[in-house]
Amino acid sequence: TVKMQRGDIVFVLTFVSFLVIAVTLDYIGAVGDPGGFLPNDDGSFRLEVGITPDKTQSWSWPPQIFLDAFFWWCDLADPGLAINPFWLKCLGCLSPFVFAPFYVYAIWSFIAENNGFRLPGIIWASMLILDLFIIFCEAVGGAHPTHNLPVFAAAYGPYFVFPMVLIYRLRDEHPFGKPKAKTN
């Protein structure tokens, strides 16, 4: 029987929510057109929004409710997400195409108490902390800053704090307990 450690259900549920977000909302930025400040023929620049409702109307994935939520969020606190500059698009590809499979592994690892998860978990957490540092820097002083920092920080903050908590949870060499000795 599987017996998770106290509090590990929080990790499982967080990874489940991250998985859903990765394959829906984060997918939009990964496959959407890149935008940003693009040159005109006369040498001036124009702001091109990469992801718009018109550009996504024929998409079959994700479901419309997620597209609506994406555009609502961009209007509320994260205009850079819709602009989707190339660097953000590249960073965004990590979530649905690299992190999503990792989330499945993480969920299984916590349920199965897999000590082999320790190093991949620490690597993922470190990557996410770096990603969020870059995203927060852009939101505060980049080319496409947020106009609603408290809401932005409340929504993205857990993506910054959770990896730190995970690193703490995985601090022991055998975070799920020492392996049982095999008997012959």
Side-chain angles (χ1 to χ4, degrees):
T1 63
V2 173
K3 182 180 140 191
M4 289 194 301
Q5 293 184 22
R6 189 178 185 184
D8 281 354
I9 190 68
V10 173
F11 289 96
V12 170
L13 294 175
T14 301
F15 281 123
V16 167
S17 70
F18 283 9
L19 176 61
V20 170
I21 291 167
V23 299
T24 56
L25 296 170
D26 292 347
Y27 175 85
I28 296 167
V31 301
D33 292 340
F37 291 104
L38 303 176
N40 292 317
D41 291 337
D42 65 2
S44 65
F45 288 87
R46 71 185 184 287
L47 178 61
E48 177 84 21
V49 176
I51 305 170
T52 65
D54 288 343
K55 291 180 180 180
T56 60
Q57 68 183 357
S58 64
W59 290 12
S60 59
W61 185 262
Q64 188 63 46
I65 191 169
F66 291 102
L67 290 165
D68 293 344
F70 175 86
F71 292 116
W72 170 82
W73 174 248
C74 293
D75 287 340
L76 179 67
D78 195 353
L81 210 53
I83 294 167
N84 204 28
F86 188 70
W87 70 265
L88 185 58
K89 178 182 176 64
C90 293
L91 201 61
C93 285
L94 290 173
S95 187
F97 303 121
V98 177
F99 292 166
F102 170 80
Y103 296 146
V104 173
Y105 173 65
I107 293 162
W108 171 81
S109 292
F110 270 89
I111 292 170
E113 297 184 326
N114 171 28
N115 282 321
F117 175 73
R118 182 176 185 264
L119 183 58
I122 290 170
I123 291 170
W124 169 83
S126 301
M127 288 176 66
L128 198 61
I129 290 168
L130 176 60
D131 291 353
L132 265 292
F133 175 77
I134 293 167
I135 289 167
F136 267 90
C137 287
E138 171 69 20
V140 171
H144 315 292
T146 181
H147 50 271
N148 197 339
L149 188 57
V151 172
F152 183 94
Y156 287 115
Y159 282 92
F160 197 74
V161 173
F162 179 76
M164 293 181 212
V165 174
L166 180 67
I167 289 172
Y168 181 78
R169 170 65 181 85
L170 300 175
R171 70 193 180 281
D172 294 330
E173 183 180 355
H174 302 287
F176 298 103
K178 292 196 186 232
K180 294 182 177 150
K182 293 183 181 182
T183 57
N184 292 332

